[in-house]
Amino acid sequence: MKLRMLAGVSALVIAGGLSACSGGSGSSGDSADGTTTIDVWLMRDSISAQFQKEFVKGFEAAHPHIKVKVQIQEWDGIGNKVTAALASNDAPDVIETGNTQVAQFAQSGGLLDLSDKVDELGGSNWLKGLAEPGAYDGKQYGIPYYAANRVVIYRTDLFKKAGVDPAAIKTRDQWIAATEKLNSSGSQGIYLPGQMWYALAGFIWDEGGDLATRTGGTWKGTLDTPQALRGMDFYKKLQALGKGPKDSDEAEPPQAEVMAKGQVAQIISTPGGANVVTQNNPDLKGKLGFFPIPGKTAARPGSVFIGGSDLVIPAASGKQDAAFTFVKDLTGDAWQRKLAAAMSYVPNKTTLADAVASDPGASAMAVGAAVGRATPNTPGWAAVEAKNPIKDYMTAVLTGGNAKAEAAKSSDAITAAMKGGS
């Protein structure tokens, strides 16, 4: 799933020759000299043109018998386009897909089962938030590509004025105390809109709950469990320490723009949000910092939703060996380190976290990513997000509704949506 404002993403301008598949999506045939050409779909703004060019050049040099043609796809409408491609005889050979989209594509039977390649690809060290949604019915279809997740972006000057040391904020209780202190110093302790449901999910996971669970093959919404209710209670407490609207999410109004305009001490965002803040208010350049979302105890950072991408190979590809070679190289340690440095992404393995050690935003992300998770791994979850009863639930509770009753209502809506969307 694509997160808003992935860290450090630059606009993608396709270099000449790398977007040769501007027409149909099908794989090109083998040439007379034995060269295999694979067609690859990558998503808009996932990587820079420079990194794409560098990788393709390096890959083709390392594998002279394989040529690569990259076609850039738009996020809007990509689900239907991939579904159609997988059902055709003209599918590309490699597709980048949002990590939480893999289940719906795998359900159709259109993806190649890569379970026997997991060990070869270093799967024991993959980020769970990418690996788990890349699996369906016990088989691995999606190979983790890159990750991004939310952190706390804070104003260093406001923290200093309030006498708050960000390095000392390791637990939720410490976070609340620091935010209360920031409020008392004349700033808005935190800008947290009422419907940031991905942040709520992390608090629920920290309590041992979930948005939905599967029992006996049936998925059911679980916002009304004691654990999930404790997560909502913490969200309500934190949200009350700022002036965020109770009936909208982080996009309306754009929270980075709100931070740029006033004395907002903190927001929860991907690190790329800091770039938007300084673009809107250059005076804040050099005055923004990052720390991981705190957990219940200092021993474990807060759980976060991991957005990012997996790579899949269509079952209809006639170039599966070459396609796998491409996937193996792009998700291998050497290129993952280069990708992390170029794009400020979290690499796909926990063992590569040191690759972003010198990047404050990305290193804060990597801490949370190690314990990150994804939304419930069912094809029906897309229908939940389309209707999003979680947002309505949050607003209802924040405006005085009974949490247990509203959670039960939302859980029923989640169950119905998953049943209709699976």
Side-chain angles (χ1 to χ4, degrees):
M1 177 172 291
K2 180 177 171 64
L3 283 169
R4 288 188 181 100
M5 295 198 279
L6 289 172
V9 178
S10 32
L12 196 83
V13 180
I14 306 306
L18 295 183
S19 57
C21 312
S22 57
S25 62
S27 299
S28 305
D30 292 343
S31 65
D33 63 359
T35 299
T36 298
T37 299
I38 58 172
D39 291 321
V40 177
W41 284 7
L42 297 180
M43 299 308 301
R44 174 76 62 188
D45 293 343
S46 284
I47 57 174
S48 67
Q50 181 178 351
F51 180 83
Q52 178 185 304
K53 185 176 181 179
E54 180 184 356
F55 173 76
V56 171
K57 182 179 179 179
F59 177 82
E60 291 183 342
H63 308 281
H65 61 291
I66 304 175
K67 299 298 179 186
V68 178
K69 290 184 178 180
V70 175
Q71 183 179 6
I72 299 303
Q73 302 295 323
E74 303 295 336
W75 285 100
D76 289 344
I78 189 59
N80 290 337
K81 188 169 185 178
V82 171
T83 299
L86 295 179
S88 74
N89 294 320
D90 196 31
D93 303 295
V94 178
I95 300 175
E96 175 191 350
T97 179
N99 58 326
T100 60
Q101 295 177 317
V102 176
Q104 69 182 94
F105 301 143
Q107 184 189 38
S108 69
L111 299 182
L112 181 66
D113 178 9
L114 297 170
S115 302
D116 62 341
K117 303 293 186 181
V118 171
D119 290 342
E120 183 180 347
L121 297 173
S124 62
N125 295 315
W126 281 340
L127 295 175
K128 290 184 178 180
L130 293 180
E132 290 181 352
Y136 180 70
D137 276 353
K139 297 178 180 179
Q140 192 73 38
Y141 296 97
I143 304 304
Y145 179 18
Y146 66 82
N149 51 269
R150 290 168 178 82
V151 299
V152 179
I153 300 177
Y154 70 95
R155 285 271 300 270
T156 57
D157 55 335
L158 297 181
F159 268 58
K160 184 176 181 180
K161 178 183 176 182
V164 175
D165 178 8
I169 302 175
K170 301 296 185 183
T171 69
R172 280 190 191 172
D173 288 343
Q174 292 168 344
W175 193 16
I176 291 290
T179 305
E180 289 174 338
K181 193 171 183 180
L182 288 158
N183 260 338
S184 66
S185 299
S187 62
Q188 185 177 169
I190 187 168
Y191 179 85
L192 180 61
Q195 296 183 345
M196 190 185 285
W197 68 278
Y198 286 125
L200 171 65
F203 302 150
I204 289 174
W205 292 330
D206 281 343
E207 295 290 348
D210 209 336
L211 305 175
T213 58
R214 185 180 186 182
T215 304
T218 301
W219 282 91
K220 180 182 178 182
T222 52
L223 291 178
D224 53 343
T225 64
Q227 298 90 337
L229 287 168
R230 288 198 298 269
M232 183 64 218
D233 184 64
F234 178 78
Y235 191 100
K236 183 177 181 180
K237 185 184 300 184
L238 185 64
Q239 202 271 339
L241 297 177
K243 301 175 183 177
K246 294 177 171 58
D247 60 352
S248 64
D249 63 17
E250 62 272 27
E252 296 181 7
Q255 64 172 359
E257 295 179 13
V258 174
M259 189 178 201
K261 291 177 181 176
Q263 296 291 95
V264 174
Q266 304 172 89
I267 60 172
I268 298 173
S269 171
T270 57
N275 296 331
V276 180
V277 173
T278 56
Q279 286 166 10
N280 281 273
N281 187 351
D283 290 341
L284 294 181
K285 191 171 183 178
K287 296 180 181 179
L288 299 176
F290 312 88
F291 60 83
I293 293 175
K296 289 191 69 176
T297 69
R300 179 185 172 91
S303 298
V304 291
F305 166 75
I306 289 191
S309 289
D310 283 13
L311 297 177
V312 299
I313 299 175
S317 167
K319 318 286 179 58
Q320 291 177 355
D321 288 344
F324 176 73
T325 301
F326 178 94
V327 170
K328 182 178 180 180
D329 278 23
L330 187 51
T331 63
D333 290 6
W335 282 104
Q336 281 290 302
R337 288 184 176 278
K338 293 178 182 179
L339 178 65
M343 303 301 301
S344 295
Y345 285 150
V346 178
N348 62 2
K349 299 184 184 72
T350 57
T351 49
L352 300 177
D354 63 303
V356 293
S358 62
D359 184 324
S363 60
M365 277 200 300
V367 172
V371 295
R373 296 177 59 173
T375 49
N377 190 16
T378 166
W381 189 256
V384 176
E385 292 198 22
K387 297 180 179 180
N388 220 322
I390 304 172
K391 288 187 173 184
D392 295 336
Y393 158 63
M394 296 173 74
T395 294
V397 174
L398 294 175
T399 55
N402 179 275
K404 189 171 184 178
E406 294 296 340
K409 187 190 304 182
S410 183
S411 293
D412 288 344
I414 290 172
T415 301
M418 288 190 294
K419 187 178 297 183
S422 60

